[in-house]
Amino acid sequence: MFRPKLPTMPQPTGIVTPPAVIEPTTITPGTPTDPAAPAPVPASTRPTIQLTPGTTLALVGGGTAVVLVVGAVLVSMLLAVAITGASVAVCAVVLRSLLASGNRRR
């Protein structure tokens, strides 16, 4: 009763194809070739970005503004959810009170 019953593996039914025989192939060595000299890397035509103190200050200011705006949006969304939850809870308490008082009067 406490010994597990192991299922038996089913035997294949129908037409069974024998495994394919793979014959080894011979490898013929080729003629060795000398590695070609690496091609010179072409110079980039894109201009390089040079950060001056003014551009660095502008990037830091822009990043700070983005972080503040995203933070304000997330905090306002959290506040909206909290206010909605509190108002739903107050409505539930009022409705429960009204329904309970209606049953007591009868």
Side-chain angles (χ1 to χ4, degrees):
M1 181 170 115
F2 294 109
R3 293 187 180 178
K5 304 248 193 270
L6 299 175
T8 58
M9 294 297 293
Q11 297 297 323
T13 58
I15 300 173
V16 178
T17 57
V21 177
I22 300 173
E23 297 196 15
T25 58
T26 58
I27 299 174
T28 56
T31 57
T33 58
D34 293 332
V41 178
S44 177
T45 58
R46 297 186 308 177
T48 58
I49 298 175
Q50 296 178 351
L51 294 177
T52 62
T55 57
T56 305
L57 187 63
L59 286 174
V60 169
T64 304
V66 167
V67 167
L68 289 176
V69 167
V70 169
V73 168
L74 291 177
V75 167
S76 64
M77 288 172 58
L78 180 64
L79 186 61
V81 168
I83 290 172
T84 304
S87 65
V88 167
V90 168
C91 289
V93 168
V94 169
L95 283 175
R96 183 177 177 191
S97 159
L98 289 174
L99 292 174
S101 67
N103 289 338
R104 279 190 231 149
R105 290 183 186 166
R106 290 183 184 175

